[in-house]
Amino acid sequence: MNTIHFTNLPGDGIGTEVMSVALKVLEKTGKAHNFSCETTCHDVGGIGIDNHGTALPESTLKACQAVDAILFGSVGGPKWESLPPKEQPERAALLPLRKAFELFANLRPGNLFPELADLSPLRSDVASAGIDVLCVRELTGGIYFGQPKSTRTLEDGQKEAIDTMVYRSGEVERITEVAVRAAALRGKKICSVDKANVLETSVLWRQTVVDCVKNLDPTIELSHMYVDNAAMQLVRNPNQFDVLLTENMFGDILSDELAVICGSLGMLASASLGTGKNSTGHPYGLYEPAGGTAPDIAGQGLANPCAQVLSAALMLRYSFGMENAAQAIENAVKETIRSGLRTGDIAQGGTAVGTEEMGNAILSRII
Ligand code: IPM
Ligand code: MG
């Protein structure tokens, strides 16, 4: 029997509750698909600050270096909001983790389950068709990490802050390759998002994407869109898109837009993949739900575990190459939603069940 090695980092808020469901689902899936899980739990985020004085403790980083993937919960909460921005859990845990493992490729699938169409803020005739768009976001470059990045006081007493947007062609090539591979398995369409009417980095981005797609797979239908137009088109007619390919910050913004039109953050998973191969020959990856720590319902057993469970499915697919097992989990979630069971975030005023009941319903549908 195969053993898969990963760390689980539940983080803060609802993280612990939904992680425990995801781990049970993985164990059950292992029984049906012939693998076992070896996983250890480590502090990250606010609880890292509380227990170790830092959002990304050295011991957590070390543990992650010794495994093939990270199953991540979510970090942050009111308790740490008064810290300086650089020390806040989200920034001080996630950004260094992305950099440490060079997790350059962020995949955010936007799926609106037809049964949940009423949760989408889009007009019902648009939402009822369902949504299926994959956002492929570059995650370790651009304005998030470019140097110089600083704040100083000028001679006239004003303060000046600088962020720098930098891209090298190699960074654009490798993320384009991920988008091409993903598109080949879907609708074979990529829309590359940039601001090439204003930004130098976008001119380079567009040219590189064109060359790269031509080389890798000329059968892919490639289009380009300025980011402002893309933001508008995404709410007007989301299904004109198949794969959206974006640089770091544009992808940050568009992926939130994609998430909200898909109805509930509690349903969306994401994968961040690295450059090298892990010990199983697949990309190292970090897998996390798109929603936050939901401090308002944390600790009450009310959170929707679906996004965490679907993140575990992405982990099996991308970091362990277990497509059938990944689909078993995705189908179990789909069937649970189809059965009418709802947590509070997706109940629309109807009867809601708690995290555990939702989790058990998913577990019972794993085959
Ligand atoms: C995300 C988040 C992060 C980002 C923050 C928390 C640093 O918004 O994963 O989209 O901006 O990338
Ligand atoms: Mg974001």
Side-chain angles (χ1 to χ4, degrees):
M1 191 188 318
N2 239 336
T3 302
I4 63 169
H5 299 266
F6 62 96
T7 51
N8 70 87
L9 316 183
D12 310 312
I14 60 169
T16 321
E17 301 158 59
V18 293
M19 182 66 80
S20 109
V21 173
L23 294 177
K24 280 187 214 149
V25 167
L26 280 170
E27 208 182 295
K28 173 97 186 269
T29 309
K31 289 205 176 102
H33 291 261
N34 204 32
F35 66 88
S36 67
C37 298
E38 206 172 289
T39 182
T40 50
C41 177
H42 305 273
D43 289 343
V44 74
I47 189 165
I49 296 176
D50 290 355
N51 292 346
H52 312 257
T54 163
L56 182 59
E58 196 54 39
S59 51
T60 300
L61 196 58
K62 279 231 169 73
C64 292
Q65 275 154 357
V67 293
D68 293 317
I70 305 170
L71 189 58
F72 195 91
S74 41
V75 294
K79 188 171 173 195
W80 306 281
E81 261 162 23
S82 51
L83 289 173
K86 268 189 190 157
E87 291 168 33
Q88 289 190 12
E90 292 90 336
R91 190 161 150 192
L94 269 176
L95 298 188
L97 260 178
R98 287 174 187 168
K99 219 37 188 181
F101 294 98
E102 241 192 300
L103 304 172
F104 72 98
N106 184 217
L107 309 185
R108 299 192 169 177
N111 291 109
L112 173 59
F113 291 64
E115 295 86 356
L116 301 179
D118 286 350
L119 289 165
S120 172
L122 294 187
R123 234 182 27 228
S124 65
D125 59 313
V126 181
S128 60
I131 297 176
D132 182 7
V133 177
L134 175 67
C135 181
V136 176
R137 167 189 176 195
E138 201 289 325
L139 203 60
T140 48
I143 202 164
Y144 274 59
F145 295 97
Q147 292 296 334
K149 190 184 218 21
S150 61
T151 307
R152 61 173 183 155
T153 306
L154 300 173
E155 276 168 13
D156 68 0
Q158 289 190 78
K159 281 193 165 172
E160 181 186 77
I162 301 178
D163 293 290
T164 308
M165 189 153 175
V166 194
Y167 269 107
R168 299 208 170 145
S169 46
E171 289 174 289
V172 184
E173 281 161 9
R174 66 186 186 181
I175 191 70
T176 304
E177 198 179 329
V178 171
V180 166
R181 266 191 272 123
L185 299 173
R186 299 173 41 101
K188 299 202 101 195
K189 266 178 23 180
I190 295 177
C191 177
S192 168
V193 174
D194 63 44
K195 189 72 183 173
N197 49 350
V198 179
L199 301 177
E200 285 297 310
T201 44
S202 281
V203 174
L204 176 72
W205 179 276
R206 190 178 285 215
Q207 193 51 56
T208 309
V209 170
V210 168
D211 293 345
C212 215
V213 173
K214 206 187 294 164
N215 283 340
L216 291 170
D217 187 350
T219 67
I220 299 276
E221 186 187 322
L222 175 66
S223 62
H224 306 272
M225 209 178 263
Y226 296 141
V227 61
D228 46 352
N229 186 25
M232 190 252 288
Q233 295 295 337
L234 196 55
V235 287
R236 208 182 61 83
N237 175 18
N239 280 326
Q240 69 185 284
F241 300 112
D242 174 30
V243 172
L244 270 174
L245 169 60
T246 84
E247 65 88 42
N248 201 346
M249 188 155 81
F250 298 160
D252 179 43
I253 299 166
L254 291 179
S255 62
D256 263 30
E257 191 184 337
L258 177 61
V260 78
I261 63 174
C262 289
S264 173
L265 282 177
M267 298 300 299
L268 296 178
S270 78
S272 303
L273 309 180
T275 47
K277 299 243 190 291
N278 64 20
S279 79
T280 73
H282 299 92
Y284 192 92
L286 179 148
Y287 301 85
E288 61 175 324
T293 51
D296 52 323
I297 56 162
Q300 300 173 38
L302 298 175
N304 184 348
C306 290
Q308 190 74 59
V309 169
L310 292 170
S311 299
L314 293 183
M315 177 176 83
L316 295 181
R317 169 171 297 127
Y318 292 116
S319 282
F320 297 105
M322 297 177 166
E323 180 59 31
N324 291 341
Q327 281 183 22
I329 295 179
E330 288 166 349
N331 287 335
V333 171
K334 238 178 252 167
E335 288 306 320
T336 304
I337 294 295
R338 206 166 281 159
S339 79
L341 216 61
R342 302 282 183 266
T343 41
D345 58 319
I346 53 174
Q348 298 169 282
T351 321
V353 302
T355 311
E356 200 180 334
E357 194 172 331
M358 194 71 175
N360 287 340
I362 298 170
L363 272 177
S364 72
R365 288 175 172 83
I366 298 281
I367 43 173

